[in-house]
Amino acid sequence: AKTSPAVQFADQRSIAATLRARGEHRAMLPSFDFAAQYARLTKFNNYEDFYLRFEPNSATIGVSIVFPFLNFSQRARARGADSDALKAKKQAESVRAQVSEETLKLQRSVAQLGAASEVANLEYQLAQSGLEAAQERDATGTGSLHELDDARTQASERYLVLQDTLIDLQRARIALLRSSGELEKWANSGTE
């Protein structure tokens, strides 16, 4: 069930929400910024006329230290992100349980349809044997044309029931492969 696309999507969403919550909490930590700037000023702007000590080379250095202990909006965002992460985690658990339950149902369905196809196959073989017996009786002249027609009809019906059961079995197997994520692996393995 872990390879199911729905479970993988839910798990990735939960991880993303957890990382977002972690980032919101880190935004509440003290931060330190350092900045530096250099400028080369020319003399044609007449700076020396306005400033007593004009230097054509100018450098500026700055430091910013922030302690966000009174940032209530950031705390609210962090708490909201925590609740979103918890919600995503619970949704992932719910999806995992739902996919697991669906997979179990599909496994039971495949087993039941397998048994039904075996029964349908046996009924078809029995009807085929009845048809062969009716053909023998007709060939020897001890059977009637009506018995032969009934045996052919019954063999045809049993064959159709067998084919329907086999189709249902294949559909259930494909649904099980899709639910477990194995269908995508199988389809991708053919392209490599």
Side-chain angles (χ1 to χ4, degrees):
K2 286 188 177 186
T3 59
S4 169
V7 172
Q8 288 177 349
F9 177 75
D11 285 343
Q12 291 301 318
R13 188 171 175 204
S14 174
I15 290 169
T18 302
L19 292 175
R20 181 179 168 268
R22 195 177 300 164
E24 292 291 347
H25 281 285
R26 287 197 179 171
M28 294 174 48
L29 296 175
S31 64
F32 175 79
D33 290 325
F34 176 76
Q37 180 180 7
Y38 170 76
R40 171 87 174 141
L41 304 173
T42 61
K43 293 185 180 189
F44 73 85
N45 288 334
N46 299 324
Y47 284 126
E48 66 269 0
D49 294 340
F50 296 104
Y51 299 107
L52 296 176
R53 293 185 328 173
F54 173 71
E55 279 292 322
N57 295 315
S58 172
T60 306
I61 297 174
V63 175
S64 171
I65 302 173
V66 178
F67 295 100
F69 58 90
L70 292 177
N71 193 346
F72 298 112
S73 64
Q74 181 60 37
R75 284 187 185 170
R77 279 195 301 271
R79 284 193 298 268
D82 285 341
S83 66
D84 288 345
L86 182 61
K87 179 182 173 185
K89 181 179 177 184
K90 294 298 181 184
Q91 285 176 341
E93 290 172 1
S94 173
V95 167
R96 193 176 293 110
Q98 182 180 3
V99 167
S100 177
E101 182 179 326
E102 288 176 9
T103 302
L104 286 174
K105 284 181 182 178
L106 287 170
Q107 287 173 344
R108 280 189 231 120
S109 176
V110 166
Q112 289 173 350
L113 287 170
S117 68
E118 288 178 22
V119 169
N121 187 28
L122 291 174
E123 287 177 348
Y124 170 68
Q125 289 176 2
L126 184 63
Q128 194 67 25
S129 296
L131 175 61
E132 290 171 4
Q135 287 172 341
E136 287 294 322
R137 283 193 302 271
D138 184 53
T140 60
T142 60
S144 68
L145 192 57
H146 182 66
E147 287 178 2
L148 182 61
D149 190 41
D150 284 345
R152 281 186 184 145
T153 302
Q154 189 174 17
S156 294
E157 288 174 359
R158 297 296 180 222
Y159 180 74
L160 292 175
V161 168
L162 174 62
Q163 293 304 312
D164 287 343
T165 306
L166 290 174
I167 289 171
D168 290 342
L169 176 61
Q170 291 305 323
R171 284 183 183 157
R173 285 179 178 163
I174 290 171
L176 179 60
L177 288 174
R178 182 179 292 134
S179 172
S180 65
E182 296 296 319
L183 184 65
E184 287 80 10
K185 285 182 185 177
W186 174 79
N188 291 334
S189 69
T191 61
E192 294 175 356

